[in-house]
Amino acid sequence: QLQLVESGGGLVHPGGSLRLSCAASGSIFSINAMRWYRQAPGKQRELVAAIRSGGTTNYVDRFTISRDNAKNTVYLEMNRLKLEDTAVYYCNADITTVGAGPNRRSYWGQGTQVTVSS
């Protein structure tokens, strides 16, 4: 079955940096788009970055999304982290799987905790 596996979360001091990774595996024909969301306790899930063949959008200026197509992996470089960046970060991807007929679906990773604390 297709999976999105995230890594790179952890504890960091304010002003520090982290790089999140999300690797997709399975019967992948193509990845049409990949996104990063975050959700802090008691708050709605928020889109923070998106990448597709046409370009990228970073909704937080200190964050940069990128991808390695050969590895089916998307990254989120997070710099100058602030306390308010603390959240569970989720990878999301629109993926077309191998097979006949319409098979494009949206998939989610399990989430990785990012905690910014002094």
Side-chain angles (χ1 to χ4, degrees):
Q1 185 178 2
L2 194 144
Q3 295 184 91
L4 273 61
V5 179
E6 298 170 72
S7 61
L11 177 66
V12 65
H13 294 310
S17 299
L18 285 174
R19 187 176 79 159
L20 306 183
S21 300
C22 174
S25 62
S27 300
I28 300 170
F29 179 79
S30 64
I31 300 178
N32 304 100
M34 301 190 83
R35 308 173 185 90
W36 286 99
Y37 289 79
R38 68 183 179 187
Q39 188 167 24
K43 300 186 69 176
Q44 293 286 101
R45 188 168 296 186
E46 174 190 15
L47 177 64
V48 297
I51 189 167
R52 54 186 62 82
S53 60
T56 63
T57 303
N58 300 294
Y59 296 95
V60 180
D61 290 342
R62 296 167 288 109
F63 297 175
T64 302
I65 190 170
S66 62
R67 65 185 177 186
D68 185 335
N69 292 334
K71 297 180 179 179
N72 292 325
T73 299
V74 65
Y75 305 95
L76 186 67
E77 299 279 354
M78 303 186 294
N79 299 312
R80 302 184 302 280
L81 284 160
K82 302 177 179 179
L83 268 60
E84 54 264 38
D85 295 322
T86 296
V88 177
Y89 284 72
Y90 296 92
C91 177
N92 168 255
D94 297 335
I95 298 175
T96 299
T97 54
V98 176
N103 55 9
R104 181 175 172 178
R105 289 176 54 189
S106 180
Y107 298 86
W108 290 88
Q110 79 286 355
T112 183
Q113 177 71 47
V114 172
T115 302
V116 184
S117 177
S118 59

